[in-house]
């Protein structure tokens, strides 16, 4: 008798995926039919796509439910709840628009109150069902969105903070469901400022937000979106921000943030449920986001989360403004939750160099709270340089819902559902992981390329005489006229302490002791003020020679504050345009273009207003495009007259190289030292002996 065939493995029970859609949340719209990115068509477009793709019918259909006031009150003030619930009533007909204008990026109509209460209630509804095990996971298609809404304030298209309300509901109202730890993943392209604030002291909720920050200039443009905000008191370490420095981030950048920040922490945190603040405005084609996550990318990010909290995932819609992009992306996510197997095409793109640096900064900030983040990251990761300003402004992906975007998406959006069982996903996933084994070991030479794009076609005519006439392209004039209206204090600690030497950087030419001339700034006007101070930073002399001063070290300030140190700075009040021109000249970014003596300036500033904002919060900025230059680090030394005091020095990594001997520490040449001494004496800071002692002591002390 033949051996009985082995019993087939029991089929895995199909996951029960809740899908909440309700036309009543389309009632919130602009009062007079004005166009707005956050409009009812968003929900309808997603719903149509899910039905057309046969996905909706595979889910458990759910209807919206109103949130009870007492649940909303766990997050919002009584007065805010009252206003949001009454704003649609007759009594506000005359004042509704005026009230809306008091908020930042908010509109109201007669349907707003109902939609807002349903959005909050709907996320409670699905979260409860997932927590109770009635559903494996769920998607709540809600609007208005929620993550910008604060305790007492509507903002950023958000009226109630739907996800925060649901999280509090699970933690405070339903101990019976056993949810003690919640992970909130906010992948909307904007910072989840409201959610961050609500759980800032609360270790029960790990809040993770990855968003465009752009040095503090991207909406909502509050400094608290930076990676330095990690939570407070018991909540310290339970708030994680991954702040991108620019647009164009896509699948690989997000995957890197997942693999090297979110997932390792999540594994340790071990959440009981995951709520996703699922905005899709980081999607390719979004008119507001300027990023480029593909539907496949979202599917992969979500797949990686499914390994935690027993797959209990609740997705709540936040932003996302390209109808096709959001429909395709939600559809891809729904398929993931339904258990469809994907092929993930290994990403062709490398993460940005800035991505790697941001991830490293985040890990560094959090490593004491999460020791798992203190491991060393792979070193020879292949990275690409940040997008150039013109790439960032390229219209192709900021045009709402245009045909070419549709085409672009068609090539990447088709989610390849293949009927394979078992380990196919994990195998593909491991290919995506950014670790040593799987990454090609080649470093694209980022610096020369970066310099290449910085140094564009801006021609400056160099007359034979010391005073230079300049012609600067329209492109660069745009930033120049902008920055010529902002003043800063430039703090010098080296040869620029001597006025005549400093003026060469402004007016062009050279003075005593200098062997080569400067080309100067476009704006040759004199500083509006001069002032001396001391700062708690170590002065050191390093590097072995310079074209201008010959053999010998030049001055650097250790970027690290050290209260045992006292270094002299001579501050000049100049425009931000002039500051950039000095920075260019210090870093030798101004190039002589051949025999006719034309001078080529970079076409974009290194320090613009968003960088200033960033520096004032973070105290320093390492200028990525000139990372291997000597003075790539701009430090913020405080304020004077309400203007920032800025200086330029080496990055902290160079200090390490000085310490290790990889870079030489060297005393200054005689002419260079004489210039510094002259500066200190003529500036009436020290007498000749005192000045010489100060320089010699700094040179002798080393690090
Ligand atoms: C939920 C969301 C964006 C607000 C942008 C305001 N809000 N300019 O994506
Ligand atoms: Zn958003």
């Amino acid at each position: 008798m033949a051996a009985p065939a082995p019993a087939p493995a029991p089929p895995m029970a199909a996951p029960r995926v809740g899908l909440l859609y309700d036309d009543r949340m389309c009632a919130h719209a602009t009062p007079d039919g004005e166009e707005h990115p956050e409009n009812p068509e968003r929900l309808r477009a997603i719903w149509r796509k899910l039905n057309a793709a046969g996905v909706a019918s595979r889910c458990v259909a759910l209807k919206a439910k109103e949130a009870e006031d007492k649940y909303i009150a766990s997050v919002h003030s009584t007065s805010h709840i009252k206003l949001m619930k009454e704003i649609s009533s007759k009594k506000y007909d005359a004042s509704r628009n005026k009230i809306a204008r008091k908020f930042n990026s908010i509109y109201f109509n007669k349907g707003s109150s109902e939609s807002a209460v349903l959005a909050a209630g709907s996320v409670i509804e699905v979260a409860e069902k997932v927590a109770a095990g009635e559903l494996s996971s769920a998607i709540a298609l809600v609007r208005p969105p929620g993550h910008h809404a604060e305790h007492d304030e509507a903002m950023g298209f958000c009226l109630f903070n739907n996800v925060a309300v649901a999280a509090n509901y699970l933690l405070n109202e339903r101990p019976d469901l056993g949810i003690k730890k919640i992970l909130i993943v906010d992948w909307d392209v904007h910072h989840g400022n409201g959610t961050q604030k609500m759980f800032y002291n609360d270790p029960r909720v790990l809040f993770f937000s990855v968003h465009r920050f752009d040095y503090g200039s991207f909406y909502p443009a509050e400094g608290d979106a930076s990676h330095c905000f990690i939570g407070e008191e018991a909540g310290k370490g339970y708030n994680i921000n991954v702040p991108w420095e620019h647009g164009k981030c896509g699948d690989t950048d997000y995957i890197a943030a997942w693999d090297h920040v979110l997932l390792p922490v999540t594994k340790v945190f071990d959440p009981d449920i995951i709520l996703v603040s699922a905005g899709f405005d980081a999607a390719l084609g979004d008119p507001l986001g300027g990023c480029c996550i593909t539907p496949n990318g979202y599917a992969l990010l979500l797949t990686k989360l499914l390994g935690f909290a027993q797959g209990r995932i609740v997705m709540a819609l936040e932003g996302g403004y390209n109808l096709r992009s959001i429909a395709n992306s939600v559809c891809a996510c729904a398929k993931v939750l339904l258990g469809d197997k994907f092929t993930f095409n290994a990403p062709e793109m490398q993460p940005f160099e800035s991505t790697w640096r941001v991830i490293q900064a985040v890990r560094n900030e959090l490593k004491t709270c999460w020791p798992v983040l203190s491991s060393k990251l792979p070193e020879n990761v292949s990275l690409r340089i940040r997008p150039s300003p013109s790439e960032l402004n390229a219209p192709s992906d900021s045009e709402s819902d245009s045909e070419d975007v549709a085409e672009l998406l068609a090539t990447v959006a088709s989610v390849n559902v293949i009927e394979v069982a078992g380990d196919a996903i994990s195998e593909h996933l491991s290919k995506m992981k950014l670790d040593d084994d799987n990454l090609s070991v080649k470093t694209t030479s980022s610096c020369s390329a970066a310099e290449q794009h910085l140094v564009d076609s801006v021609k400056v005519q160099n007359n034979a005489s010391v005073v230079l006439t300049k012609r600067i392209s329209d492109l660069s004039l745009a930033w120049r006229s902008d920055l010529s209206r902002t003043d800063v204090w430039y703090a010098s600690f080296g040869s620029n302490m001597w006025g005549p030497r400093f003026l060469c950087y402004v007016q062009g030419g050279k003075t005593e002791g200098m062997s080569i001339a400067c080309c100067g700034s476009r704006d040759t006007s004199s500083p509006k003020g001069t002032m001396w101070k001391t700062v708690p930073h170590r002065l050191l002399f390093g590097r072995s020679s310079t074209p201008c001063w010959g053999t010998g070290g030049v001055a650097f300030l250790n970027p690290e504050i050290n209260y045992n140190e006292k270094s002299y700075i001579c501050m000049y009040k100049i425009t931000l345009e002039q500051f950039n021109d000095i920075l260019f000249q210090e870093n030798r970014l101004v190039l002589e273009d051949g025999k006719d003596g034309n001078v080529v300036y970079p076409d974009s500033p290194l320090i613009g207003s968003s960088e200033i904002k960033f520096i004032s919060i973070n105290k320093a900025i390492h200028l990525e495009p000139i990372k291997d230059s000597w003075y790539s680090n701009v430090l913020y030394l405080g304020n004077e007259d309400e203007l920032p005091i800025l200086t330029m020095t080496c990055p902290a990594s160079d200090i390490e190289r000085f310490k290790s001997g990889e870079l030489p520490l060297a005393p200054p040449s005689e002419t260079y030292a004489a210039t510094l001494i002259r500066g200190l004496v003529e500036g009436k800071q020290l007498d000749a002996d005192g000045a010489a002692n100060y320089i010699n002591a700094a040179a002798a002390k080393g690090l």
Side-chain angles (χ1 to χ4, degrees):
M1 211 169 85
M12 271 243 284
R16 288 172 54 83
V17 179
L19 177 61
L20 189 147
Y21 173 81
D22 200 314
D23 204 48
R24 289 178 289 166
M25 282 182 281
C26 294
H28 172 62
T30 52
D32 295 303
E34 303 93 330
E35 272 190 38
H36 195 282
E38 204 294 280
N39 61 63
E41 285 311 307
R42 299 174 59 235
L43 290 191
R44 297 196 180 110
I46 297 170
W47 183 238
R48 272 196 304 272
K49 170 76 188 184
L50 295 179
N51 281 287
V55 165
S57 60
R58 299 167 61 199
C59 298
V60 179
L62 300 165
K63 280 290 155 209
K65 208 176 145 183
E66 302 203 334
E68 290 182 38
D69 286 6
K70 62 175 178 193
Y71 301 146
I72 307 178
S74 69
V75 162
H76 295 289
S77 68
T78 320
S79 59
H80 179 70
I81 299 171
K82 188 161 182 284
L83 179 61
M84 292 304 110
K85 291 190 72 169
E86 286 182 358
I87 194 71
S88 295
S89 66
K90 256 205 160 61
K91 102 177 203 218
Y92 281 103
D93 276 353
S95 59
R96 197 173 293 129
N97 290 348
K98 195 172 158 214
I99 294 171
R101 281 194 296 272
K102 287 197 185 132
F103 296 109
N104 169 347
S105 305
I106 287 294
Y107 63 76
F108 298 119
N109 72 341
K110 292 187 173 170
S112 299
S113 301
E114 153 110 308
S115 295
V117 173
L118 288 172
S122 298
V123 182
I124 295 179
E125 173 79 355
V126 298
E128 181 207 22
K129 289 197 153 55
V130 172
E134 280 173 50
L135 297 170
S136 322
S137 58
I139 302 178
L141 299 175
V142 297
R143 59 179 294 276
H147 71 152
H148 294 307
E150 302 213 343
H151 178 67
D152 197 31
E153 201 170 329
M155 73 178 268
F157 318 157
C158 301
L159 304 188
F160 292 134
N161 195 318
N162 310 315
V163 165
V165 169
N168 271 338
Y169 171 82
L170 295 178
L171 292 170
N172 304 334
E173 307 290 332
R174 298 301 303 273
D176 57 306
L177 298 177
I179 303 293
K180 298 196 173 76
K181 289 177 287 178
I182 299 182
L183 167 65
I184 300 181
V185 175
D186 188 330
W187 72 39
D188 186 284
V189 78
H190 302 99
H191 179 228
N193 56 290
T195 318
Q196 165 166 310
K197 288 209 181 87
M198 278 146 205
F199 303 109
Y200 208 61
N201 299 323
D202 192 340
R204 298 172 305 169
V205 176
L206 172 58
F207 179 63
F208 172 92
S209 181
V210 51
H211 44 267
R212 274 184 73 175
F213 184 55
D214 298 42
Y215 305 111
S217 63
F218 202 75
Y219 190 87
E222 299 293 340
D224 67 355
S226 103
H227 64 286
C228 304
F229 287 76
I230 61 169
E232 244 165 37
E233 296 167 28
K236 188 165 172 202
Y238 295 87
N239 194 86
I240 304 181
N241 287 321
V242 177
W244 300 140
E245 290 181 2
H246 51 72
K248 285 274 144 82
C249 293
D251 296 352
T252 35
D253 303 291
Y254 280 80
I255 288 160
W258 255 231
D259 286 346
H260 300 298
V261 180
L262 176 58
L263 302 184
V265 173
T266 300
K267 196 166 170 204
V268 177
F269 180 63
D270 189 23
D272 299 314
I273 192 169
I274 301 175
L275 308 183
V276 184
S277 260
F280 291 91
D281 39 13
L284 178 64
D286 190 274
L288 268 57
C291 289
C292 38
I293 306 183
T294 67
N296 259 298
Y298 282 113
L300 181 48
L301 297 177
L302 185 59
T303 302
K304 288 182 175 233
L305 293 177
L306 265 180
F308 302 95
Q310 299 171 265
R312 286 193 281 241
I313 294 190
V314 170
M315 296 178 59
L317 186 65
E318 299 278 2
Y321 308 102
N322 178 306
L323 301 185
R324 277 181 243 264
S325 307
I326 63 178
N328 288 328
S329 301
V330 174
C331 190
C333 289
K335 288 177 177 175
V336 167
L337 297 180
L338 284 164
D340 288 352
K341 304 290 185 271
F342 282 75
T343 49
F344 296 107
N345 322 316
E348 280 161 37
M349 280 298 190
Q350 307 135 342
F352 285 113
E353 186 282 332
S354 60
T355 294
W356 209 241
R357 190 155 29 75
V358 166
I359 286 175
Q360 244 145 354
V362 173
R363 288 169 59 100
N364 195 40
E365 198 70 37
L366 285 154
K367 65 179 184 228
T368 50
C369 307
W370 302 100
V372 63
L373 298 181
S374 29
S375 63
K376 251 180 95 68
L377 285 183
E379 260 167 26
N380 292 312
V381 176
S382 176
L383 302 167
R384 59 189 169 125
I385 59 161
R386 66 163 58 222
S388 67
S390 54
E391 275 177 82
L392 286 170
N393 294 328
S396 75
D397 66 350
S398 56
E399 246 166 62
S400 170
D401 209 27
S402 64
E403 280 311 311
D404 50 296
V405 168
E407 246 168 56
L408 188 57
L409 277 169
T411 61
V412 288
S414 61
V415 169
N416 305 311
V417 179
I418 51 162
E419 297 306 319
V420 290
D423 282 339
I425 284 194
S426 53
E427 188 191 309
H428 286 288
L429 289 189
S430 71
K431 290 215 183 86
M432 306 280 298
K433 253 196 101 188
L434 288 164
D435 55 31
D436 316 78
D437 313 332
N438 299 312
L439 269 171
S440 58
V441 181
K442 73 173 173 316
T443 311
T444 44
S445 73
S446 53
C447 190
S448 60
E451 280 192 16
Q452 211 55 51
H453 92 246
L454 270 172
V455 180
D456 212 333
S457 57
V458 184
K459 303 277 185 212
V460 178
Q461 208 75 49
N462 185 353
N463 286 4
S465 66
V466 175
V467 180
L468 310 164
T469 358
K470 288 154 192 155
R471 201 158 28 83
I472 292 181
S473 80
D474 297 345
L475 179 58
S476 87
L477 274 179
W479 72 260
R480 285 177 175 275
S481 66
D482 231 35
L483 301 191
S484 67
R485 288 188 288 270
T486 306
D487 285 338
V488 296
W489 287 101
Y490 160 57
S492 61
F493 50 81
S495 60
N496 286 336
M497 291 190 294
W498 187 44
R501 191 273 174 269
F502 162 75
L503 282 178
C504 296
Y505 275 149
V506 176
Q507 296 167 353
K510 59 181 184 177
T511 183
E512 235 169 288
M514 294 166 66
S515 47
I516 43 179
C518 300
C519 64
S521 172
R522 184 200 62 99
D523 175 359
T524 56
S525 48
S526 305
K528 301 180 181 89
T530 306
M531 195 176 174
W532 287 83
K533 265 189 200 276
T534 59
V535 291
H537 290 265
R538 166 77 68 91
L539 178 70
L540 60 134
F541 292 91
R543 305 269 185 180
S544 42
S545 71
T546 64
C548 187
W549 304 102
T551 313
V554 292
F556 294 95
L557 267 198
N558 187 335
E560 194 179 300
I561 290 182
N562 179 345
Y563 289 105
N564 299 321
E565 300 291 336
K566 197 173 106 169
S567 295
Y568 289 91
I569 55 171
C570 178
M571 305 176 355
Y572 303 98
K573 193 197 239 183
I574 57 176
T575 71
L576 195 45
E577 180 193 16
Q578 291 175 317
F579 182 83
N580 274 285
D581 283 334
I582 292 170
L583 199 47
F584 293 153
Q585 292 174 77
E586 283 279 17
N587 285 297
R588 309 180 56 71
L589 295 176
V590 188
L591 299 185
E592 291 256 335
D593 186 22
K595 28 188 182 346
D596 52 0
N598 279 354
V599 175
V600 183
Y601 268 100
D603 71 354
S604 57
L606 289 165
I607 299 286
S609 36
S610 51
E611 284 79 10
I612 295 270
K613 198 162 172 185
F614 182 83
I615 299 172
S616 62
I617 296 161
N618 296 285
K619 308 303 175 211
I621 189 169
H622 188 203
L623 298 167
E624 200 43 42
I626 55 166
K627 108 173 171 331
D628 293 334
S629 298
W630 289 14
Y631 305 98
S632 61
N633 194 12
V634 172
L635 292 191
Y636 170 83
L637 300 172
N639 273 307
E640 186 62 44
D641 289 353
E642 313 205 339
L643 296 177
I645 304 170
L646 305 179
T647 193
M648 53 196 81
T649 185
C650 62
S653 54
D654 280 0
I655 296 290
E656 295 311 311
R657 294 164 75 200
F658 281 126
K659 280 184 186 162
S660 73
E662 186 193 334
L663 292 176
L665 287 166
S669 70
E670 228 164 89
T671 43
Y672 184 71
T675 311
L676 271 64
I677 293 170
R678 240 173 131 166
L680 289 159
V681 172
E682 289 175 22
K684 301 199 167 41
Q685 298 304 297
L686 294 167
D687 61 23
D689 284 348
N693 285 342
Y694 168 72
I695 300 302
N696 291 338
K701 207 143 90 176
L703 266 162

